[in-house]
Amino acid sequence: MSNPSATFTPSNTRGYVLIHCCVVLFGFTPIMGRLITLNAVPLVWWRMLLAALVLLLVPATWRGIRQMPWRLIGICCLTGVVLAICWALFYLAIKLANASVGAICLGTSPLFVAAAGPVLTHRPYNRTDLLLAAAIIPGIALVVGGVPRGMGLGFVIGLFSAAILTVFSGLNKYLSNRTHPLSSTCLEMAAGALFLALLMALWPGVGDGFLIPDRHDLSLLIVFAVALTALPIALMLVALRDISVFAQQMAVNLEPVYAVILAVPILGEQQQLDLLFYLGVLVIVGAVMVEPLVQWLRRHPRGGHAVHLR
């Protein structure tokens, strides 16, 4: 039974609910990286291009863009380029290793967020955030020990992707309270697609170029772009209005868990998982679940009656 004198504002709860909905959807993205036969850069280019086109069909997107100052438009475009690089490295890691290893690399993001996040958001370092981030390291080590060897290059590239994701998270936090979610997401997708198009034009060796996908890949790309890209990123921007970048990244640590669980029935990767993997998952999930509890305790008055979450 809850304390009748406790007062909860819905915004904080909404932020956590939305971010975990995003994580569930993002859990399917490493699976898509394996199911779609395109190389990493063309895959991300099609994903961002289709997502931008879909968002342009929404009138609210245009209204938000028209109201944006040029400075914010530029920051949105920069954010999109950072995201394009992050995704390209992420799916390259998946292609070189597998969906599980690529997804697990994202679990290291709180380490980079705890170290670089305060610099990006101009906030002081938080000792609790650093401790929670450090608690993830044993989980990552255990999980890595539970997957096959010979995937070192994919794992290293995945770590670079996780580091770049920190920059994206900081920029997204800055934009979350200054732009319309659909508008900023559309600009990010369009800028990222333009950047990758220029990359493929100037450096043909990065992928399949501008080849039209076959029917199988095209159908998956449409689902990828709409349900697993535009929708969760827009929801994430809304969630960031109510939660911190670190809280977001800690929740995103559940993505590897969802991805690897989904990889068992869809990709048949269960033979690659052993006890070390499951122990690592427990450590990661434990750290993720502790973060909202710590935030609640921070806001709980020592007197013990009213609780204000915001």
Side-chain angles (χ1 to χ4, degrees):
M1 297 292 291
S2 59
N3 188 340
S5 64
T7 302
F8 298 90
T9 59
S11 61
N12 186 270
T13 302
R14 180 189 67 176
Y16 278 109
V17 170
L18 287 178
I19 200 63
H20 281 283
C21 287
C22 294
V23 172
V24 172
L25 293 174
F26 282 141
F28 285 91
T29 59
I31 309 300
M32 287 293 194
R34 295 293 293 181
L35 293 177
I36 297 173
T37 61
L38 295 175
N39 290 334
V41 173
L43 186 156
V44 177
W45 178 65
W46 278 106
R47 180 187 187 184
M48 302 187 89
L49 176 64
L50 292 174
L53 292 175
V54 168
L55 289 171
L56 285 174
L57 298 176
V58 181
T61 300
W62 289 99
R63 288 197 297 269
I65 292 175
R66 285 196 296 266
Q67 295 172 359
M68 266 191 218
W70 285 105
R71 179 173 176 273
L72 283 182
I73 291 176
I75 295 175
C76 286
C77 292
L78 174 62
T79 304
V81 171
V82 171
L83 182 59
I85 297 171
C86 173
W87 277 351
L89 292 175
F90 174 64
Y91 287 104
L92 179 59
I94 290 175
K95 299 292 185 180
L96 293 174
N98 61 21
S100 301
V101 172
I104 287 164
C105 290
L106 295 182
T108 64
S109 294
L111 300 176
F112 301 107
V113 171
V119 177
L120 296 173
T121 57
H122 304 290
R123 292 183 179 182
Y125 281 95
N126 186 289
R127 183 180 301 175
T128 303
D129 288 353
L130 291 171
L131 290 174
L132 287 172
I136 293 173
I137 296 177
I140 297 297
L142 288 169
V143 169
V144 170
V147 298
R149 297 182 180 181
M151 299 180 177
L153 180 58
F155 182 72
V156 171
I157 292 175
L159 290 179
F160 277 108
S161 174
I164 295 173
L165 183 62
T166 302
V167 181
F168 169 73
S169 298
L171 291 170
N172 240 13
K173 177 63 177 178
Y174 177 83
L175 293 171
S176 62
N177 289 309
R178 294 171 172 85
T179 62
H180 189 282
L182 294 180
S183 303
S184 55
T185 302
C186 180
L187 289 172
E188 290 173 11
M189 296 297 105
L194 178 59
F195 170 76
L196 292 178
L198 292 173
L199 181 64
M200 289 189 292
L202 298 174
W203 190 11
V206 299
D208 302 320
F210 300 97
L211 295 177
I212 303 297
D214 59 27
R215 184 178 300 177
H216 170 266
D217 280 352
L218 184 59
S219 60
L220 290 177
L221 281 167
I222 292 173
V223 175
F224 202 12
V226 179
L228 304 181
T229 303
L231 176 61
I233 288 183
L235 291 177
M236 183 178 292
L237 282 168
V238 176
L240 280 170
R241 295 175 179 175
D242 306 315
I243 62 176
S244 68
V245 173
F246 185 80
Q248 170 214 334
Q249 203 56 61
M250 290 297 286
V252 169
N253 271 297
L254 284 173
E255 180 183 339
V257 178
Y258 294 130
V260 176
I261 292 174
L262 291 169
V264 172
I266 299 175
L267 300 177
E269 293 183 355
Q270 64 272 20
Q271 69 274 11
Q272 300 176 353
L273 311 177
D274 59 18
L275 180 59
L276 288 178
F277 167 80
Y278 290 106
L279 290 175
V281 168
L282 288 176
V283 173
I284 295 172
V285 172
V288 172
M289 293 298 101
V290 164
E291 196 279 334
L293 176 61
V294 170
Q295 296 295 335
W296 184 87
L297 291 175
R298 285 176 178 173
R299 292 171 172 82
H300 197 290
R302 294 185 179 182
H305 293 296
V307 179
H308 301 279
L309 297 180
R310 59 185 179 86

